[in-house]
């Protein structure tokens, strides 16, 4: 069976955009591939998080992915720092990565611009660590968004360079796993663009938001002054509200409001109330499961222990072979 690897950045709570985008994709993939999903906590050290914050976000992200249906019985779910073999492979790969090519990476250049006072070597070698993450399980496929295409290309280069240097096709060259257009782009509530956690307060609805928070955010969503002629084209903010409604409401509800829009009788206030109620109902079971996991540290610990065991079995087999290929052999 083909092997899939993907990393999860521990950046805090998940919103509906993450849910219908990346997370739903993981849930699908775990049925079709041998999946290794890990929380990329080594990577997050580039920003020097406070230890308590790092621990807290990893825990939150773990609880939320579990609550969304990423199932440790169907995939290997682990924490990157629980598999130190990754760090060893990263060391080996660093010897094959040229400073010049790392400096040319778009994400590195962006960091140099955005945080000139913290251009650490970990940022420069981020793509090398990402390569180690992927090839440590000798993965074939990596489900990543457009923003990661260049990183994945670098991973292929490093894997190929290793194979060439040591004269064996040991590592498969990891390919992007296309989603065939099945990934939805979830719009935000501010009337433009996508839902995102850094798009400003109120734009994103988080899975862990209470019913009251959801209602408050949705009621403040941007709309327009309403249609005045039948079948008037929808403005972007209103299209966005309908797109959100299609994700969480029954089809009859959506067509009811579409009809009202066409007939110019729509009241956005009513539509938003309905949308807020349906969103809250949609996220309620997820919210409960998040709370369940967050209140059950021993369960989280067991899950990570199992993930660690499975991930290390795969990782240590790879690293043993890599050591042999490199020439670190027994006398
Ligand atoms: P944010 O944009 O809030 O910072 P991230 O960049 O951390 O979110 O996204 C993590 C994953 O969730 C990515 O794979 C991204 O493609 C997906 N994602 C984020 N926002 C959306 C959205 N609005 N619609 C669909 N997928 C999204
Ligand atoms: N760089 C990825 C991101 O920013 C996270 C990541 C780290 C990753 N290692 C990975 C993704 C390995 C896929 C495979 O989202």
């Amino acid at each position: 069976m083909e092997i899939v690897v993907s990393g999860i950045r521990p950046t805090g709570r998940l919103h509906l955009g993450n849910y219908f985008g990346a997370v739903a994709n993981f849930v699908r993939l775990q049925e079709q591939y041998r999946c290794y999903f890990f929380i990329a906590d080594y990577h997050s050290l580039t920003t020097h998080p406070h230890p308590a914050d790092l621990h807290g976000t990893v825990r939150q992200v773990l609880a939320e992915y579990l609550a969304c249906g990423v199932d440790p019985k169907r995939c290997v779910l682990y924490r990157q720092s629980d598999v130190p073999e990754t760090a060893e492979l990263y060391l080996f790969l660093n010897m094959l990565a040229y400073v010049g090519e790392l400096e040319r990476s778009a994400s590195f250049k962006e960091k140099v611009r955005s945080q000139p006072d913290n251009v650490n070597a970990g940022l420069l070698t981020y793509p090398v660590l990402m390569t180690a993450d992927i090839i440590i399980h000798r993965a074939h496929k990596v489900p990543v968004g457009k923003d990661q295409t260049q990183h994945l290309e670098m991973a292929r280069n490093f894997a190929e360079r290793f194979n060439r240097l040591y004269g064996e096709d040991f590592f498969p060259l990891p390919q992007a796993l296309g989603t065939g257009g099945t990934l939805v782009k979830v719009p935000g509530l501010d009337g433009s663009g996508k839902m995102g956690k850094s798009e400003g307060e109120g734009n994103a609805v988080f899975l862990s938001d209470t019913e009251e928070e959801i209602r408050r955010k949705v009621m403040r969503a941007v709309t327009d002054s309403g249609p005045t002629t039948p079948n008037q084209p929808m403005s972007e903010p209103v299209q966005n509200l309908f797109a959100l409604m299609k994700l969480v409401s029954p089809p009859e509800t959506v067509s009811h409001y579409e009809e009202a829009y066409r007939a110019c009788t729509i009241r956005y206030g009513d539509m938003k109330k309905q949308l807020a109620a349906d969103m809250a109902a949609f996220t309620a079971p997820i919210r409960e499961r998040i709370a369940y996991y967050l209140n059950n540290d021993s369960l989280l610990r067991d899950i990570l222990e199992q993930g660690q065991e499975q991930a290390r079995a795969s990782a240590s087999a790879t690293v043993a072979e890599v050591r042999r290929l490199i020439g670190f052999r027994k006398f």
Side-chain angles (χ1 to χ4, degrees):
M1 199 190 308
E2 282 195 308
I3 297 172
V4 164
V5 166
S6 196
I8 301 164
R9 279 183 299 131
T11 50
R13 301 188 300 148
L14 296 174
H15 51 66
L16 283 172
N18 304 130
Y19 178 82
F20 286 107
V23 188
N25 195 34
F26 280 18
V27 172
R28 278 192 296 271
L29 293 174
Q30 68 185 353
E31 305 299 337
Q32 299 164 34
Y33 296 96
R34 170 100 179 132
C35 290
Y36 292 86
F37 298 134
F38 65 94
I39 302 176
D41 57 350
Y42 279 156
H43 282 283
S44 54
L45 296 182
T46 54
T47 60
H48 310 159
H50 189 285
D53 288 345
L54 178 62
H55 184 72
T57 38
V58 168
R59 188 164 164 274
Q60 182 79 28
V61 162
L62 177 64
E64 296 206 354
Y65 270 75
L66 290 166
C68 291
V70 172
D71 181 353
K73 292 196 182 69
R74 297 186 156 79
C75 67
V76 179
L77 178 62
Y78 69 102
R79 181 166 55 175
Q80 189 183 28
S81 62
D82 282 336
V83 182
E85 288 80 2
T86 305
E88 188 175 353
L89 184 56
Y90 167 61
L91 183 151
F92 298 150
L93 293 173
N94 270 320
M95 310 302 176
L96 306 182
Y98 295 105
V99 172
E101 65 187 331
L102 295 172
E103 280 171 340
R104 282 193 297 277
S105 124
S107 63
F108 179 70
K109 286 197 272 193
E110 207 283 310
K111 293 291 179 197
V112 172
R113 263 195 306 276
S114 64
Q115 47 177 73
D117 47 356
N118 182 23
V119 185
N120 58 67
L123 277 180
L124 183 69
T125 56
Y126 186 107
V128 185
L129 181 53
M130 182 160 159
T131 305
D133 295 330
I134 297 166
I135 70 177
I136 199 141
H137 303 299
R138 302 175 73 188
H140 306 96
K141 300 241 157 81
V142 184
V144 284
K146 265 212 191 79
D147 59 328
Q148 299 294 315
T149 340
Q150 195 180 25
H151 285 156
L152 197 56
E153 195 182 310
M154 294 171 90
R156 275 194 296 276
N157 285 339
F158 299 145
E160 191 175 26
R161 208 172 289 163
F162 182 96
N163 288 347
R164 207 162 354 98
L165 186 61
Y166 296 107
E168 207 173 292
D169 279 337
F170 181 62
F171 289 116
L173 305 185
Q175 305 296 326
L177 183 55
T179 51
T182 50
L183 277 201
V184 249
K185 191 187 102 181
V186 180
L189 292 172
D190 64 1
S192 68
K194 66 174 194 124
M195 186 173 284
K197 61 181 168 305
S198 34
E199 312 291 319
E201 172 46 33
N203 179 50
V205 171
F206 294 95
L207 298 176
S208 54
D209 277 348
T210 62
E211 198 170 338
E212 183 44 36
E213 284 167 319
I214 296 176
R215 211 176 57 82
R216 193 173 43 80
K217 287 180 186 177
V218 173
M219 292 315 288
R220 285 197 196 143
V222 177
T223 52
D224 56 26
S225 51
T228 49
T229 52
N231 298 318
Q232 186 176 317
M234 277 183 203
S235 65
E236 195 184 344
V238 175
Q239 282 178 34
N240 290 352
L241 278 194
F242 274 102
L244 288 167
M245 194 170 232
K246 282 182 190 146
L247 294 171
V248 296
S249 303
E252 313 81 77
T253 307
V254 180
S255 35
H256 169 80
Y257 287 99
E258 277 173 345
E259 202 47 51
Y261 182 89
R262 277 196 288 274
C264 304
T265 56
I266 192 163
R267 288 164 51 164
Y268 291 137
D270 292 347
M271 180 183 177
K272 286 180 182 178
K273 251 186 229 151
Q274 183 70 49
L275 177 59
D278 291 346
M279 254 184 202
F282 183 87
T283 54
I286 305 175
R287 198 156 55 240
E288 271 167 34
R289 288 195 294 269
I290 295 173
Y292 167 75
Y293 285 110
L294 287 177
N295 284 317
N296 204 335
D297 266 339
S298 67
L299 178 58
L300 293 182
R301 197 163 48 235
D302 288 350
I303 288 171
L304 282 189
E305 262 169 29
Q306 182 198 320
Q308 175 181 39
E309 198 179 302
Q310 296 174 335
R312 284 193 87 173
S314 152
S316 60
T318 303
V319 168
E321 192 58 20
V322 166
R323 287 176 144 265
R324 198 191 60 77
L325 287 169
I326 288 178
F328 298 143
R329 297 173 192 166
K330 282 209 169 72
F331 292 105

